[in-house]
Amino acid sequence: MTTTEPLDVLDVQPTPLALLLLGRESDPRSERGVDCPGDLPAASDPDLVERARAAKARLGSKVFILGHHYQRDEVIEFADVTGDSFKLARDAAARPEAEYIVFCGVHFMAESADILTSNRQAVILPDLAAGCSMADMATAEQVAECWDVLTEAGVAGTTVPVSYMNSSADIKAFTGRHGGTICTSSNAERALEWAFSQGEKVLFLPDQHLGRNTAVRDLGLSLDDCVLYNPHKPGGGLTVQQLRDAKMILWRGHCSVHGRFSIESVEDVRARIPGVNVLVHPECKHEVVSAADYVGSTEYIIKALDAAPAGSAWAIGTELNLVRRLAKAHPDKQIVFLDKTVCFCSTMNRIDLPHLVWTLESLADGKLVNRIQVDEETERYAKQALEQMLALP
């Protein structure tokens, strides 16, 4: 199987909403990032690839381009390295000679790169509207209010915050201020083990599913040990007793991509493809993770497909750009998308070739654009939380 053919090769069809979010419809409310403070090249420009190559060549070693796994192929082509968000941020920090770090990802990723790189380096996000809906589900004000609720319930002193890498710099700083740690989908189990060695409870931000799946599947806690804090309800929608009894206080946030996979998706693909291996990301709902054969981070998914025997069949529950790329890389295996409708990360897809060309040409002309900068105090505490993650046993 390859992905040089249309989307239906992966048995998915674009929905009207998906097309709208990808900027292929005309509702101006969905078009927050298509304008730049300059002349954005037309997507139909046949010279875009050559323009990108020429601008990158002009910049030489001054520029280092990072491409997240969920990014479009047309952008990945120009990435110096690819990976998940934390790997890319660390790769940027390991390139101190690069004056410009162009992060083809989303906003929180660029913030992490800015925190970990030196002050002389500029981190650039080609489209400032490339955000993360999950990260946006936890604001600094909401989390501060939550901590007040925990304080009033008498449990803040025994609660350790653990924040997913997919969070804003403000949330990472909150975590650092309160003695917590950051985690990735790869080390969430170690992060929770460490947190429970420091306190009696964990406040897990902002992805409820990763927190719940790690606590129940990996640490052996029960679903009853977990409560869901809803920032839009007084007291988070929880009683004082519920907060006191809980071991995992989960924030009501989720990934708009992984959260759409359902138990029906799993049952459907098993009926269509006998013997299929279902492999999903731990940001999926608990019932989906429980029904899957394998569960792991983006890097785990890539390595699992690399090691899979020829002729094996796989249904992958993660972002569609990555699934298509894996199918193309492994034509000897049957690789399908777990859901039957398009499931791109719509905000990640805002970074396209026109935005990348505009960014590179602007930098080559000496114009610094779309720089992401985290203020000093936020950076200091966020870095503490990140360093605690790096120190995990």
Side-chain angles (χ1 to χ4, degrees):
M1 153 176 273
T2 70
T3 56
T4 56
E5 300 174 72
L7 279 176
D8 57 9
V9 171
L10 285 178
D11 200 21
V12 294
Q13 294 297 325
T15 64
L17 178 59
L19 293 176
L20 179 66
L21 292 173
L22 288 171
R24 288 170 56 184
E25 298 296 331
S26 59
D27 185 347
R29 292 172 300 176
S30 73
E31 297 298 300
R32 290 176 306 115
V34 298
D35 291 329
C36 290
D39 295 324
L40 190 69
S44 59
D45 185 341
D47 298 323
L48 282 177
V49 171
E50 287 305 316
R51 288 175 64 178
R53 288 174 181 162
K56 187 177 181 184
R58 285 170 62 195
L59 288 161
S61 61
K62 291 173 65 176
V63 70
F64 189 50
I65 302 177
L66 310 174
H68 191 271
H69 285 310
Y70 298 166
Q71 192 53 258
R72 300 165 180 257
D73 286 348
E74 66 189 46
V75 171
I76 287 291
E77 178 183 349
F78 294 97
D80 294 302
V81 293
T82 59
D84 61 18
S85 59
F86 186 59
K87 174 185 179 296
L88 292 177
R90 294 187 72 182
D91 285 344
R95 277 305 203 52
E97 72 278 9
E99 183 176 344
Y100 305 121
I101 306 296
V102 176
F103 209 127
C104 298
V106 294
H107 196 272
F108 79 80
M109 300 178 188
E111 285 185 328
S112 296
D114 184 59
I115 290 167
L116 294 175
T117 52
S118 69
N119 291 333
R120 62 166 294 275
Q121 295 175 288
V123 177
I124 293 113
L125 187 65
D127 185 346
L128 293 179
C132 171
S133 59
M134 180 203 295
D136 290 342
M137 290 177 190
T139 68
E141 293 77 13
Q142 289 173 332
V143 175
E145 183 178 341
C146 171
W147 198 253
D148 288 342
V149 170
L150 300 187
T151 300
E152 291 173 8
V155 300
T158 58
T159 300
V160 178
V162 175
S163 292
Y164 190 22
M165 179 63 68
N166 299 28
S167 59
S168 69
D170 286 338
I171 301 307
K172 290 183 176 73
F174 164 87
T175 306
R177 285 190 187 94
H178 294 281
T181 187
I182 306 303
C183 75
T184 68
S185 53
S186 298
N187 66 12
E189 180 180 1
R190 282 186 288 139
L192 286 186
E193 287 174 342
W194 172 84
F196 280 117
S197 75
Q198 306 296 306
E200 298 175 5
K201 304 176 187 295
V202 167
L203 171 63
F204 195 90
L205 302 153
D207 181 26
Q208 60 169 301
H209 300 307
L210 178 63
R212 182 181 296 105
N213 289 328
T214 306
V216 175
R217 292 184 69 255
D218 300 326
L219 269 60
L221 299 182
S222 72
L223 290 174
D224 291 337
D225 291 322
C226 306
V227 295
L228 189 64
Y229 183 95
N230 185 341
H232 302 291
K233 291 184 177 181
L238 299 169
T239 65
V240 169
Q241 194 59 48
Q242 284 177 308
L243 290 170
R244 291 175 177 172
D245 291 342
K247 292 183 178 179
M248 287 287 293
I249 302 169
L250 305 169
W251 192 262
R252 189 176 181 269
H254 66 276
C255 171
S256 57
V257 171
H258 294 104
R260 70 174 292 121
F261 297 114
S262 65
I263 191 67
E264 289 77 21
S265 301
V266 177
E267 293 170 350
D268 176 74
V269 79
R270 290 198 190 282
R272 289 187 290 114
I273 308 175
V276 69
N277 297 283
V278 177
L279 170 56
V280 303
H281 194 281
E283 290 176 17
C284 292
K285 297 172 185 174
H286 183 67
E287 59 265 28
V288 174
V289 164
S290 298
D293 300 301
Y294 303 95
V295 182
S297 67
T298 303
E299 295 291 344
Y300 175 92
I301 291 171
I302 293 170
K303 291 176 181 177
L305 269 295
D306 287 344
S312 56
W314 296 81
I316 312 298
T318 193
E319 204 270 347
L320 183 54
N321 273 320
L322 175 60
V323 179
R324 295 177 69 184
R325 200 170 294 125
L326 289 170
K328 183 176 181 179
H330 300 284
D332 59 331
K333 302 156 193 173
Q334 184 180 6
I335 298 173
V336 301
F337 189 59
L338 182 57
D339 198 50
K340 296 195 76 171
T341 56
V342 165
C343 198
F344 293 106
C345 176
S346 58
T347 50
M348 184 82 71
N349 270 267
R350 287 189 177 278
I351 296 181
D352 54 12
L353 198 48
H355 281 88
L356 181 60
V357 167
W358 172 80
T359 300
L360 295 178
E361 290 182 341
S362 296
L363 295 175
D365 290 338
K367 291 181 281 188
L368 182 57
V369 296
N370 287 14
R371 184 175 186 179
I372 302 298
Q373 284 184 291
V374 178
D375 68 84
E376 288 186 12
E377 183 179 4
T378 301
E379 178 177 312
R380 177 159 59 94
Y381 286 108
K383 199 166 187 177
Q384 285 182 15
L386 287 165
E387 287 173 344
Q388 177 54 62
M389 180 179 74
L390 294 176
L392 289 173

mmCIF file of all heavy atoms in Angstrom, residues 269-303:
data_model
loop_
_atom_site.group_PDB
_atom_site.id
_atom_site.type_symbol
_atom_site.label_atom_id
_atom_site.label_comp_id
_atom_site.label_asym_id
_atom_site.label_seq_id
_atom_site.Cartn_x
_atom_site.Cartn_y
_atom_site.Cartn_z
ATOM 1 N N VAL A 269 -13.269 -1.767 12.229
ATOM 2 C CA VAL A 269 -12.055 -2.167 11.510
ATOM 3 C C VAL A 269 -11.750 -3.641 11.746
ATOM 4 O O VAL A 269 -11.247 -4.334 10.861
ATOM 5 C CB VAL A 269 -10.858 -1.267 11.902
ATOM 6 C CG1 VAL A 269 -10.248 -1.674 13.242
ATOM 7 C CG2 VAL A 269 -9.798 -1.279 10.812
ATOM 8 N N ARG A 270 -12.077 -4.160 12.913
ATOM 9 C CA ARG A 270 -11.867 -5.598 13.165
ATOM 10 C C ARG A 270 -12.795 -6.450 12.286
ATOM 11 O O ARG A 270 -12.407 -7.532 11.826
ATOM 12 C CB ARG A 270 -12.090 -5.919 14.640
ATOM 13 C CG ARG A 270 -11.020 -5.357 15.573
ATOM 14 C CD ARG A 270 -11.055 -6.053 16.930
ATOM 15 N NE ARG A 270 -10.223 -5.404 17.923
ATOM 16 C CZ ARG A 270 -8.905 -5.501 18.009
ATOM 17 N NH1 ARG A 270 -8.253 -6.226 17.106
ATOM 18 N NH2 ARG A 270 -8.239 -4.897 18.973
ATOM 19 N N ALA A 271 -14.023 -5.935 12.052
ATOM 20 C CA ALA A 271 -14.963 -6.665 11.196
ATOM 21 C C ALA A 271 -14.520 -6.620 9.735
ATOM 22 O O ALA A 271 -14.694 -7.588 8.987
ATOM 23 C CB ALA A 271 -16.365 -6.075 11.344
ATOM 24 N N ARG A 272 -13.917 -5.508 9.313
ATOM 25 C CA ARG A 272 -13.498 -5.336 7.917
ATOM 26 C C ARG A 272 -12.182 -6.026 7.593
ATOM 27 O O ARG A 272 -11.976 -6.502 6.479
ATOM 28 C CB ARG A 272 -13.381 -3.853 7.574
ATOM 29 C CG ARG A 272 -14.698 -3.126 7.475
ATOM 30 C CD ARG A 272 -14.519 -1.703 6.972
ATOM 31 N NE ARG A 272 -13.872 -0.814 7.941
ATOM 32 C CZ ARG A 272 -12.683 -0.270 7.794
ATOM 33 N NH1 ARG A 272 -11.967 -0.518 6.700
ATOM 34 N NH2 ARG A 272 -12.177 0.538 8.718
ATOM 35 N N ILE A 273 -11.271 -6.090 8.586
ATOM 36 C CA ILE A 273 -9.929 -6.623 8.327
ATOM 37 C C ILE A 273 -9.609 -7.678 9.382
ATOM 38 O O ILE A 273 -9.093 -7.375 10.473
ATOM 39 C CB ILE A 273 -8.864 -5.500 8.362
ATOM 40 C CG1 ILE A 273 -9.277 -4.356 7.436
ATOM 41 C CG2 ILE A 273 -7.492 -6.043 7.981
ATOM 42 C CD1 ILE A 273 -8.354 -3.160 7.497
ATOM 43 N N PRO A 274 -9.910 -8.945 9.099
ATOM 44 C CA PRO A 274 -9.613 -10.011 10.065
ATOM 45 C C PRO A 274 -8.120 -10.038 10.412
ATOM 46 O O PRO A 274 -7.262 -9.905 9.540
ATOM 47 C CB PRO A 274 -10.037 -11.285 9.315
ATOM 48 C CG PRO A 274 -11.040 -10.814 8.300
ATOM 49 C CD PRO A 274 -10.571 -9.456 7.887
ATOM 50 N N GLY A 275 -7.847 -10.156 11.699
ATOM 51 C CA GLY A 275 -6.458 -10.245 12.137
ATOM 52 C C GLY A 275 -5.731 -8.921 12.231
ATOM 53 O O GLY A 275 -4.513 -8.879 12.463
ATOM 54 N N VAL A 276 -6.454 -7.810 12.079
ATOM 55 C CA VAL A 276 -5.815 -6.494 12.119
ATOM 56 C C VAL A 276 -5.296 -6.185 13.526
ATOM 57 O O VAL A 276 -5.898 -6.574 14.530
ATOM 58 C CB VAL A 276 -6.799 -5.395 11.664
ATOM 59 C CG1 VAL A 276 -7.915 -5.193 12.686
ATOM 60 C CG2 VAL A 276 -6.069 -4.083 11.413
ATOM 61 N N ASN A 277 -4.157 -5.526 13.582
ATOM 62 C CA ASN A 277 -3.612 -5.044 14.845
ATOM 63 C C ASN A 277 -4.057 -3.594 15.041
ATOM 64 O O ASN A 277 -3.799 -2.748 14.183
ATOM 65 C CB ASN A 277 -2.080 -5.094 14.814
ATOM 66 C CG ASN A 277 -1.534 -6.497 14.675
ATOM 67 O OD1 ASN A 277 -1.515 -7.259 15.630
ATOM 68 N ND2 ASN A 277 -1.101 -6.839 13.462
ATOM 69 N N VAL A 278 -4.702 -3.328 16.146
ATOM 70 C CA VAL A 278 -5.162 -1.971 16.434
ATOM 71 C C VAL A 278 -4.140 -1.302 17.353
ATOM 72 O O VAL A 278 -3.871 -1.770 18.459
ATOM 73 C CB VAL A 278 -6.553 -1.974 17.087
ATOM 74 C CG1 VAL A 278 -6.985 -0.548 17.443
ATOM 75 C CG2 VAL A 278 -7.574 -2.624 16.146
ATOM 76 N N LEU A 279 -3.570 -0.217 16.857
ATOM 77 C CA LEU A 279 -2.509 0.507 17.563
ATOM 78 C C LEU A 279 -2.948 1.958 17.736
ATOM 79 O O LEU A 279 -3.199 2.654 16.749
ATOM 80 C CB LEU A 279 -1.211 0.426 16.744
ATOM 81 C CG LEU A 279 -0.023 1.288 17.142
ATOM 82 C CD1 LEU A 279 0.391 1.041 18.582
ATOM 83 C CD2 LEU A 279 1.145 1.018 16.202
ATOM 84 N N VAL A 280 -3.053 2.418 18.978
ATOM 85 C CA VAL A 280 -3.584 3.756 19.230
ATOM 86 C C VAL A 280 -2.678 4.552 20.162
ATOM 87 O O VAL A 280 -1.876 4.002 20.906
ATOM 88 C CB VAL A 280 -5.009 3.703 19.824
ATOM 89 C CG1 VAL A 280 -5.957 2.942 18.913
ATOM 90 C CG2 VAL A 280 -5.003 3.107 21.220
ATOM 91 N N HIS A 281 -2.854 5.851 20.111
ATOM 92 C CA HIS A 281 -2.129 6.780 20.975
ATOM 93 C C HIS A 281 -2.830 6.848 22.333
ATOM 94 O O HIS A 281 -4.066 6.757 22.401
ATOM 95 C CB HIS A 281 -2.106 8.158 20.306
ATOM 96 C CG HIS A 281 -1.131 9.110 20.895
ATOM 97 N ND1 HIS A 281 -1.379 9.793 22.066
ATOM 98 C CD2 HIS A 281 0.107 9.508 20.481
ATOM 99 C CE1 HIS A 281 -0.347 10.560 22.357
ATOM 100 N NE2 HIS A 281 0.567 10.417 21.404
ATOM 101 N N PRO A 282 -2.090 7.034 23.446
ATOM 102 C CA PRO A 282 -2.738 7.078 24.762
ATOM 103 C C PRO A 282 -3.578 8.325 25.017
ATOM 104 O O PRO A 282 -4.187 8.446 26.091
ATOM 105 C CB PRO A 282 -1.557 7.009 25.740
ATOM 106 C CG PRO A 282 -0.371 7.486 24.967
ATOM 107 C CD PRO A 282 -0.615 7.032 23.559
ATOM 108 N N GLU A 283 -3.634 9.265 24.063
ATOM 109 C CA GLU A 283 -4.566 10.388 24.182
ATOM 110 C C GLU A 283 -5.986 9.974 23.787
ATOM 111 O O GLU A 283 -6.921 10.778 23.906
ATOM 112 C CB GLU A 283 -4.131 11.561 23.298
ATOM 113 C CG GLU A 283 -2.885 12.285 23.763
ATOM 114 C CD GLU A 283 -2.461 13.378 22.798
ATOM 115 O OE1 GLU A 283 -3.281 13.785 21.954
ATOM 116 O OE2 GLU A 283 -1.297 13.808 22.875
ATOM 117 N N CYS A 284 -6.154 8.738 23.315
ATOM 118 C CA CYS A 284 -7.489 8.254 22.960
ATOM 119 C C CYS A 284 -8.287 7.965 24.238
ATOM 120 O O CYS A 284 -7.731 7.794 25.332
ATOM 121 C CB CYS A 284 -7.389 6.985 22.123
ATOM 122 S SG CYS A 284 -6.686 7.228 20.467
ATOM 123 N N LYS A 285 -9.605 7.875 24.077
ATOM 124 C CA LYS A 285 -10.477 7.588 25.212
ATOM 125 C C LYS A 285 -10.123 6.240 25.840
ATOM 126 O O LYS A 285 -9.605 5.342 25.177
ATOM 127 C CB LYS A 285 -11.937 7.572 24.749
ATOM 128 C CG LYS A 285 -12.424 8.909 24.205
ATOM 129 C CD LYS A 285 -13.815 8.765 23.588
ATOM 130 C CE LYS A 285 -14.274 10.060 22.934
ATOM 131 N NZ LYS A 285 -15.552 9.900 22.220
ATOM 132 N N HIS A 286 -10.471 6.098 27.120
ATOM 133 C CA HIS A 286 -10.089 4.894 27.860
ATOM 134 C C HIS A 286 -10.666 3.632 27.232
ATOM 135 O O HIS A 286 -9.984 2.605 27.139
ATOM 136 C CB HIS A 286 -10.543 5.006 29.319
ATOM 137 C CG HIS A 286 -10.124 3.843 30.158
ATOM 138 N ND1 HIS A 286 -8.801 3.575 30.471
ATOM 139 C CD2 HIS A 286 -10.859 2.852 30.740
ATOM 140 C CE1 HIS A 286 -8.743 2.496 31.221
ATOM 141 N NE2 HIS A 286 -9.971 2.035 31.390
ATOM 142 N N GLU A 287 -11.921 3.702 26.765
ATOM 143 C CA GLU A 287 -12.527 2.501 26.187
ATOM 144 C C GLU A 287 -11.851 2.105 24.879
ATOM 145 O O GLU A 287 -11.770 0.916 24.537
ATOM 146 C CB GLU A 287 -14.024 2.699 25.980
ATOM 147 C CG GLU A 287 -14.406 3.863 25.076
ATOM 148 C CD GLU A 287 -14.710 5.134 25.845
ATOM 149 O OE1 GLU A 287 -14.139 5.311 26.953
ATOM 150 O OE2 GLU A 287 -15.510 5.945 25.344
ATOM 151 N N VAL A 288 -11.336 3.076 24.136
ATOM 152 C CA VAL A 288 -10.615 2.782 22.890
ATOM 153 C C VAL A 288 -9.265 2.151 23.202
ATOM 154 O O VAL A 288 -8.865 1.153 22.595
ATOM 155 C CB VAL A 288 -10.444 4.069 22.054
ATOM 156 C CG1 VAL A 288 -9.560 3.814 20.835
ATOM 157 C CG2 VAL A 288 -11.807 4.594 21.616
ATOM 158 N N VAL A 289 -8.572 2.732 24.162
ATOM 159 C CA VAL A 289 -7.281 2.190 24.583
ATOM 160 C C VAL A 289 -7.446 0.766 25.115
ATOM 161 O O VAL A 289 -6.638 -0.126 24.826
ATOM 162 C CB VAL A 289 -6.655 3.118 25.646
ATOM 163 C CG1 VAL A 289 -5.527 2.425 26.396
ATOM 164 C CG2 VAL A 289 -6.148 4.400 24.994
ATOM 165 N N SER A 290 -8.515 0.530 25.877
ATOM 166 C CA SER A 290 -8.754 -0.803 26.441
ATOM 167 C C SER A 290 -9.045 -1.832 25.358
ATOM 168 O O SER A 290 -8.723 -3.022 25.509
ATOM 169 C CB SER A 290 -9.930 -0.754 27.430
ATOM 170 O OG SER A 290 -9.634 0.109 28.510
ATOM 171 N N ALA A 291 -9.637 -1.387 24.248
ATOM 172 C CA ALA A 291 -9.993 -2.309 23.172
ATOM 173 C C ALA A 291 -8.866 -2.510 22.171
ATOM 174 O O ALA A 291 -8.935 -3.411 21.329
ATOM 175 C CB ALA A 291 -11.231 -1.785 22.442
ATOM 176 N N ALA A 292 -7.825 -1.708 22.246
ATOM 177 C CA ALA A 292 -6.719 -1.791 21.285
ATOM 178 C C ALA A 292 -5.764 -2.922 21.635
ATOM 179 O O ALA A 292 -5.732 -3.413 22.767
ATOM 180 C CB ALA A 292 -5.964 -0.465 21.252
ATOM 181 N N ASP A 293 -4.967 -3.323 20.649
ATOM 182 C CA ASP A 293 -3.937 -4.340 20.879
ATOM 183 C C ASP A 293 -2.649 -3.720 21.406
ATOM 184 O O ASP A 293 -1.934 -4.338 22.202
ATOM 185 C CB ASP A 293 -3.635 -5.082 19.568
ATOM 186 C CG ASP A 293 -4.856 -5.782 19.005
ATOM 187 O OD1 ASP A 293 -5.414 -6.649 19.713
ATOM 188 O OD2 ASP A 293 -5.274 -5.448 17.881
ATOM 189 N N TYR A 294 -2.360 -2.525 20.937
ATOM 190 C CA TYR A 294 -1.132 -1.835 21.333
ATOM 191 C C TYR A 294 -1.446 -0.365 21.572
ATOM 192 O O TYR A 294 -2.283 0.226 20.882
ATOM 193 C CB TYR A 294 -0.058 -1.947 20.246
ATOM 194 C CG TYR A 294 0.283 -3.374 19.866
ATOM 195 C CD1 TYR A 294 -0.330 -3.988 18.776
ATOM 196 C CD2 TYR A 294 1.219 -4.103 20.595
ATOM 197 C CE1 TYR A 294 -0.026 -5.291 18.422
ATOM 198 C CE2 TYR A 294 1.533 -5.415 20.256
ATOM 199 C CZ TYR A 294 0.906 -6.000 19.167
ATOM 200 O OH TYR A 294 1.212 -7.291 18.825
ATOM 201 N N VAL A 295 -0.746 0.221 22.540
ATOM 202 C CA VAL A 295 -0.947 1.624 22.894
ATOM 203 C C VAL A 295 0.429 2.256 23.084
ATOM 204 O O VAL A 295 1.289 1.697 23.766
ATOM 205 C CB VAL A 295 -1.761 1.771 24.196
ATOM 206 C CG1 VAL A 295 -1.993 3.250 24.519
ATOM 207 C CG2 VAL A 295 -3.072 1.015 24.110
ATOM 208 N N GLY A 296 0.635 3.415 22.472
ATOM 209 C CA GLY A 296 1.923 4.063 22.671
ATOM 210 C C GLY A 296 2.005 5.427 22.028
ATOM 211 O O GLY A 296 1.126 5.844 21.257
ATOM 212 N N SER A 297 3.069 6.123 22.347
ATOM 213 C CA SER A 297 3.330 7.465 21.844
ATOM 214 C C SER A 297 3.556 7.456 20.340
ATOM 215 O O SER A 297 3.650 6.391 19.708
ATOM 216 C CB SER A 297 4.569 8.034 22.532
ATOM 217 O OG SER A 297 5.716 7.292 22.142
ATOM 218 N N THR A 298 3.697 8.637 19.782
ATOM 219 C CA THR A 298 3.965 8.749 18.351
ATOM 220 C C THR A 298 5.233 8.000 17.964
ATOM 221 O O THR A 298 5.260 7.264 16.972
ATOM 222 C CB THR A 298 4.093 10.229 17.950
ATOM 223 O OG1 THR A 298 2.886 10.910 18.323
ATOM 224 C CG2 THR A 298 4.300 10.383 16.461
ATOM 225 N N GLU A 299 6.288 8.175 18.749
ATOM 226 C CA GLU A 299 7.540 7.480 18.459
ATOM 227 C C GLU A 299 7.353 5.964 18.578
ATOM 228 O O GLU A 299 7.904 5.196 17.790
ATOM 229 C CB GLU A 299 8.647 7.957 19.406
ATOM 230 C CG GLU A 299 9.032 9.423 19.241
ATOM 231 C CD GLU A 299 9.752 9.706 17.929
ATOM 232 O OE1 GLU A 299 10.226 8.757 17.278
ATOM 233 O OE2 GLU A 299 9.820 10.892 17.545
ATOM 234 N N TYR A 300 6.561 5.538 19.559
ATOM 235 C CA TYR A 300 6.273 4.106 19.718
ATOM 236 C C TYR A 300 5.545 3.572 18.491
ATOM 237 O O TYR A 300 5.862 2.477 17.987
ATOM 238 C CB TYR A 300 5.413 3.896 20.965
ATOM 239 C CG TYR A 300 4.935 2.472 21.172
ATOM 240 C CD1 TYR A 300 5.664 1.571 21.928
ATOM 241 C CD2 TYR A 300 3.730 2.034 20.606
ATOM 242 C CE1 TYR A 300 5.223 0.266 22.130
ATOM 243 C CE2 TYR A 300 3.280 0.735 20.791
ATOM 244 C CZ TYR A 300 4.027 -0.142 21.551
ATOM 245 O OH TYR A 300 3.591 -1.442 21.734
ATOM 246 N N ILE A 301 4.586 4.325 18.000
ATOM 247 C CA ILE A 301 3.824 3.903 16.823
ATOM 248 C C ILE A 301 4.751 3.739 15.624
ATOM 249 O O ILE A 301 4.687 2.738 14.893
ATOM 250 C CB ILE A 301 2.706 4.913 16.521
ATOM 251 C CG1 ILE A 301 1.628 4.839 17.615
ATOM 252 C CG2 ILE A 301 2.086 4.664 15.143
ATOM 253 C CD1 ILE A 301 0.581 5.937 17.540
ATOM 254 N N ILE A 302 5.639 4.698 15.423
ATOM 255 C CA ILE A 302 6.568 4.633 14.289
ATOM 256 C C ILE A 302 7.469 3.408 14.403
ATOM 257 O O ILE A 302 7.662 2.659 13.428
ATOM 258 C CB ILE A 302 7.399 5.921 14.225
ATOM 259 C CG1 ILE A 302 6.501 7.109 13.869
ATOM 260 C CG2 ILE A 302 8.530 5.796 13.196
ATOM 261 C CD1 ILE A 302 7.176 8.456 14.020
ATOM 262 N N LYS A 303 8.017 3.178 15.585
ATOM 263 C CA LYS A 303 8.920 2.035 15.779
ATOM 264 C C LYS A 303 8.178 0.705 15.638
ATOM 265 O O LYS A 303 8.728 -0.265 15.114
ATOM 266 C CB LYS A 303 9.592 2.131 17.143
ATOM 267 C CG LYS A 303 10.596 3.273 17.247
ATOM 268 C CD LYS A 303 11.178 3.397 18.658
ATOM 269 C CE LYS A 303 12.160 4.550 18.738
ATOM 270 N NZ LYS A 303 12.697 4.735 20.121
#
